């Protein structure tokens, strides 16, 4: 019997909390990791460990899947750094065709990502010679040659940062792109000669202003107020730049008519749809303004709320008649920032996604869990204020991760819902007997609600699941963007996640 126990112990998979769990396939684990990787520390995993796991998983899956997943992460999930890293690593793992070059052309969406990819290549392929970059992969070079053809002078000039290790001019000489016409040849010549016209951007305009001398502080404040008004009225301030500078605009004391134009633009449905911001960007802006002492602050807060509501209108995969439970993980491991310099934490991302769904559904039970489960009754007309309200309840349900608590409550109350949705890092406690605890609870609940489906929205991508996947009644989705709900719609129609990724165009 002792050897039987030894063999059984070898089969066990433990999550970061030491509880038994289930691993997903390499394809699914790579998907969850890539969609939730910000190249910054997570509660349980430092950046280098994430990178090592990413590369190991890439070696164990099909190269075409890797390429299509990278394009999906860039174009659908809106992440920038991870797809570039995947391109660099795939160039080392795969050769013989143009797969990587096609991938590079798709993941380089902004002009600055040309130099960013080359710096990533330099980091992952350190040179021992005089040149910073060793022999560049032909596939990377070809992909970047095509990428160079996608941008105009303004886009190149906007992102021509002279402080980078690899500058745009360096990239031009390394990649040797072929101009598509005479006009582009002139642009390449300007890059080579450092003669790109300095673009009119809010950064350059404010930088010029900051270098000027003023009679006194009042004169300086007036100059900056007028400049912010000019930037807003000119329309030169992009939507994301507007979101990030709301505090600066309010503090500058711009006129009420300008503030109202800012509010109108922030709340405009077409602007929201075109900008495709992460939902938590609205939350970040909202949080930053809460303590700004300005008579116009409430107007902008209302506009941000309207913008969040507008973003919810794009959500697919939720039927207004569905009976839904939304369970948000408030455990200690979720109280960790997404990025080094960001204020938004993992639990807030989960709450934001949940409140977007709550706004769309008619029959909703929403709540928070950690050591315990607690229902949080919040108005469906609000999103950002709801998320802020939930944030004030940190610690109210403890700091553990007893993911079975919401299911236990449903069973005890004999409540039937169609969809049970968890927003979590999936590091559940309490699993035992080969991870059967959560599984047994779910199967017990299915006796009450046989048609119910379970959705795990994995926000951290550690690769550990409290229940076996795949199952027909369990869906795993990863990422921080509201576009995860696009995938939800496809999966509800019987599609396979890996097959959906393989549909992404290269």
């Amino acid at each position: 019997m002792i050897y039987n126990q030894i063999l059984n112990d070898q089969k066990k998979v433990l999550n970061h909390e030491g509880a038994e769990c289930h691993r997903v396939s390499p394809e699914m684990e790579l998907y969850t990791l890539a969609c939730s990787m910000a190249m910054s520390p997570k509660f349980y995993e430092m950046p280098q460990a994430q990178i090592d796991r990413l590369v190991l998983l890439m070696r164990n899956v099909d190269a075409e899947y890797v390429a299509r997943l990278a394009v999906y992460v860039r174009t659908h999930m809106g992440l920038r750094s991870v797809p570039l890293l995947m391109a660099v690593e795939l160039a080392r793992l795969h050769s013989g065709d143009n797969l990587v070059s096609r991938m590079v052309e798709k993941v380089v969406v902004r002009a600055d990502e040309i130099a960013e990819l080359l710096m990533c290549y330099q980091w992952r392929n350190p040179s021992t010679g005089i040149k910073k970059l060793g022999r560049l992969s032909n596939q990377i070079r070809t992909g970047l040659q095509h990428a160079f053809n996608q941008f105009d002078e303004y886009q190149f000039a906007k992102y021509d940062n002279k402080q980078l290790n690899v500058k745009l001019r360096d990239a031009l000489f390394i990649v040797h792109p072929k101009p598509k016409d005479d006009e582009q040849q002139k642009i390449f010549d300007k890059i080579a000669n450092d003669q790109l016209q300095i673009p009119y951007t809010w950064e350059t305009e404010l930088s010029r202003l900051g270098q000027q001398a003023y009679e006194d502080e009042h004169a300086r404040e007036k100059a900056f107020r007028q400049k912010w008004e000019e930037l807003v009225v000119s329309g030169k301030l992009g939507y994301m730049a507007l979101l990030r500078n709301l505090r600066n605009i309010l503090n500058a004391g711009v006129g009420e008519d300008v503030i109202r134009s800012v509010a109108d633009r922030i709340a405009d449905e077409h602007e929201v749809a075109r900008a495709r911001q992460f939902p938590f960007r609205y939350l970040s802006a909202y949080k930053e303004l809460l303590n700004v002492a300005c008579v116009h602050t409430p107007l902008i807060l209302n506009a941000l709320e309207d913008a969040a509501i507008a973003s919810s209108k794009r959500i697919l995969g939720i039927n207004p008649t569905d009976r839904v439970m939304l369970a948000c993980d408030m455990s200690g491991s979720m109280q960790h920032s997404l990025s080094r310099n960001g204020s938004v934490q993992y639990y807030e991302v989960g709450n934001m996604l949940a409140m977007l769904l709550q706004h769309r559904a008619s029959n909703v039970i929403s709540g928070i869990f950690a050591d315990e489960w607690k229902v949080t009754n919040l108005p469906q007309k609000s999103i950002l204020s709801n998320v802020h309200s939930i944030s004030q309840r940190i610690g109210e349900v403890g700091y553990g991760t007893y993911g079975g608590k919401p299911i236990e409550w449903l069973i005890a109350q004999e409540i039937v819902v169609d969809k049970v949705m968890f927003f979590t890092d999936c590091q559940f406690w309490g699993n035992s007997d080969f991870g059967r605890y959560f599984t047994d609870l779910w199967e017990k609940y299915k006796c009450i609600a046989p048609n119910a489906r379970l959705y795990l929205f994995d926000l951290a991508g550690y690769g550990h699941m409290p229940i076996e996947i795949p199952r027909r009644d369990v869906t795993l989705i990863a990422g921080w963007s509201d576009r995860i709900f696009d995938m939800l719609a496809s999966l509800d129609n019987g599609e396979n996640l890996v097959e959906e990724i393989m549909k992404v165009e290269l």
Side-chain angles (χ1 to χ4, degrees):
M1 296 293 290
I2 187 170
Y3 295 114
N4 185 65
Q5 183 63 44
I6 291 172
L7 291 172
N8 281 341
D9 287 344
Q10 288 177 341
K11 295 177 184 177
K12 293 179 182 179
V13 178
L14 304 181
N15 65 20
H16 287 291
E17 284 296 336
E20 292 181 37
C21 63
H22 300 269
R23 273 208 174 278
V24 293
S25 68
E27 289 83 3
M28 289 293 287
E29 184 175 351
L30 182 61
Y31 155 75
T32 61
L33 176 59
C35 288
S36 58
M37 188 172 167
M39 305 290 282
S40 60
K42 296 180 181 178
F43 187 85
Y44 294 110
E45 198 172 38
M46 297 302 288
Q48 189 56 54
Q50 297 171 46
I51 292 166
D52 292 343
R53 186 157 61 93
L54 182 87
V55 174
L56 179 62
L57 289 166
M58 286 176 58
R59 290 174 180 160
N60 290 314
V61 302
D62 181 71
E64 187 170 344
Y65 174 77
V66 172
R68 294 182 189 277
L69 175 60
V71 175
Y72 172 81
V73 172
R74 181 65 186 95
T75 59
H76 287 68
M77 293 295 101
L79 298 180
R80 298 179 55 210
S81 299
V82 176
L84 300 182
L85 175 60
M86 292 174 73
V88 168
E89 292 301 321
L90 191 61
R92 294 203 288 188
L93 298 172
H94 181 79
S95 61
D97 57 26
N98 64 353
L99 177 66
V100 175
S101 64
R102 288 184 289 134
M103 168 193 183
V104 167
E105 187 178 355
K106 291 285 188 178
V107 299
V108 174
V109 176
R110 283 186 2 186
D112 58 328
E113 290 167 356
I114 294 173
E116 190 76 12
L117 191 149
L118 289 173
M119 286 186 286
C120 179
Y121 191 89
Q122 176 184 326
W123 167 51
R124 300 299 290 174
N125 299 274
S127 173
T128 56
I130 298 175
K131 293 183 179 180
K132 292 179 181 179
L133 273 165
R135 187 173 182 276
L136 184 63
S137 156
N138 286 331
Q139 291 202 61
I140 296 285
R141 188 191 307 278
T142 301
L144 287 178
Q145 286 174 345
H146 293 305
F148 257 102
N149 294 141
Q150 299 174 11
F151 308 111
D152 58 24
E153 182 175 1
Y154 175 84
Q155 292 168 312
F156 282 126
K158 181 178 179 180
Y159 297 111
D160 187 15
N161 188 338
K162 306 298 185 185
Q163 307 303 316
L164 298 178
N165 279 293
V166 177
K167 303 170 184 61
L168 181 60
R169 183 172 181 270
D170 299 331
L172 183 77
F173 293 147
I174 291 167
V175 173
H176 300 294
K178 297 177 180 179
K180 58 186 177 183
D181 52 34
D182 291 341
E183 189 61 35
Q184 192 168 66
Q185 179 63 63
K186 293 177 183 177
I187 295 173
F188 289 172
D189 290 342
K190 288 183 178 181
I191 295 173
N193 297 316
D194 278 331
Q195 293 178 341
L196 285 173
Q197 183 176 348
I198 298 176
Y200 179 100
T201 67
W202 67 272
E203 296 102 330
T204 57
E205 290 300 295
L206 292 175
S207 177
R208 285 196 191 103
L209 214 58
Q211 294 169 12
Q212 295 179 17
Y214 300 93
E215 292 182 5
D216 52 33
E217 186 61 24
H218 177 74
R220 184 180 184 279
E221 289 175 357
K222 180 181 179 181
F224 273 86
R225 180 173 65 253
Q226 291 176 340
K227 180 55 67 176
W228 277 118
E229 290 178 340
E230 176 190 317
L231 287 168
V232 170
V233 173
S234 70
K236 296 287 186 177
L237 206 60
Y239 190 87
M240 186 172 185
L242 195 61
L243 275 182
R244 288 183 169 179
N245 283 287
L246 290 174
R247 184 189 188 100
N248 292 330
I249 292 170
L250 287 171
N251 285 338
V254 303
E256 183 176 348
D257 55 337
V258 176
I259 289 292
R260 291 195 177 279
S261 70
V262 169
D264 289 344
R265 187 178 176 199
I266 288 293
D268 186 86
E269 287 189 23
H270 298 294
E271 290 275 6
V272 171
R274 187 171 60 180
R276 300 206 71 93
Q277 294 294 305
F278 282 118
F280 66 77
R281 298 289 188 203
Y282 300 110
L283 177 62
S284 180
Y286 186 90
K287 288 170 60 179
E288 191 173 0
L289 298 186
L290 286 174
N291 296 318
V292 174
C294 175
V295 68
H296 301 306
T297 300
L299 179 65
I300 300 299
L301 291 175
N302 287 337
L304 288 168
E305 189 74 74
D306 290 342
I309 290 170
S311 71
S312 75
K313 294 180 180 179
R314 302 197 306 269
I315 291 176
L316 304 174
I318 191 77
N319 190 320
T321 61
D322 285 341
R323 296 163 295 181
V324 182
M325 169 185 265
L326 304 172
C328 297
D329 187 346
M330 300 283 279
S331 63
S333 60
M334 293 288 285
Q335 295 171 39
H336 197 77
S337 296
L338 257 63
S339 60
R340 288 183 177 89
N341 301 318
S343 64
V344 174
Q345 301 190 344
Y346 281 89
Y347 78 89
E348 291 178 303
V349 174
N351 290 330
M352 183 72 193
L353 294 172
M355 290 301 101
L356 286 170
L357 282 176
Q358 180 185 254
H359 184 76
R360 294 286 290 162
S362 299
N363 304 299
V364 182
I365 300 168
S366 62
I368 55 178
F369 72 92
D371 290 320
E372 301 295 337
W373 157 261
K374 184 172 286 189
V375 172
T376 55
N377 293 311
L378 295 164
Q380 287 184 272
K381 291 184 178 181
S382 302
I383 295 177
L384 298 178
S385 59
N386 284 355
V387 178
H388 179 67
S389 176
I390 295 171
S391 297
Q392 307 309 301
R393 305 180 71 167
I394 280 288
E396 193 173 301
V397 288
Y399 298 94
T401 318
Y402 289 96
K405 292 292 183 177
I407 309 296
E408 288 178 355
W409 182 82
L410 284 174
I411 294 170
Q413 300 294 320
E414 296 185 347
I415 294 175
V416 175
V417 297
D418 303 301
K419 296 179 177 180
V420 179
M421 298 182 164
F422 280 79
F423 299 86
T424 176
D425 63 5
C426 295
Q427 299 303 291
F428 290 2
W429 294 8
N431 278 355
S432 59
D433 189 20
F434 289 84
R436 289 293 307 180
Y437 166 72
F438 188 85
T439 303
D440 287 344
L441 275 176
W442 177 245
E443 290 179 352
K444 186 176 180 181
Y445 179 64
K446 291 296 292 280
C447 295
I448 298 172
N451 296 320
R453 289 183 60 90
L454 174 66
Y455 300 82
L456 295 172
F457 290 89
D458 184 359
L459 305 179
Y462 294 121
H464 307 133
M465 295 299 130
I467 192 169
E468 191 171 7
I469 293 173
R471 284 177 51 138
R472 285 197 299 178
D473 59 343
V474 179
T475 299
L476 171 63
I477 299 179
W480 308 323
S481 167
D482 53 351
R483 294 197 71 178
I484 59 175
F485 302 122
D486 297 351
M487 184 68 78
L488 175 64
S490 297
L491 298 180
D492 273 354
N493 290 327
E495 302 291 338
N496 175 280
L497 191 142
V498 174
E499 292 173 352
E500 284 298 298
I501 296 295
M502 290 300 289
K503 292 178 182 178
V504 174
E505 291 186 11
L506 279 176

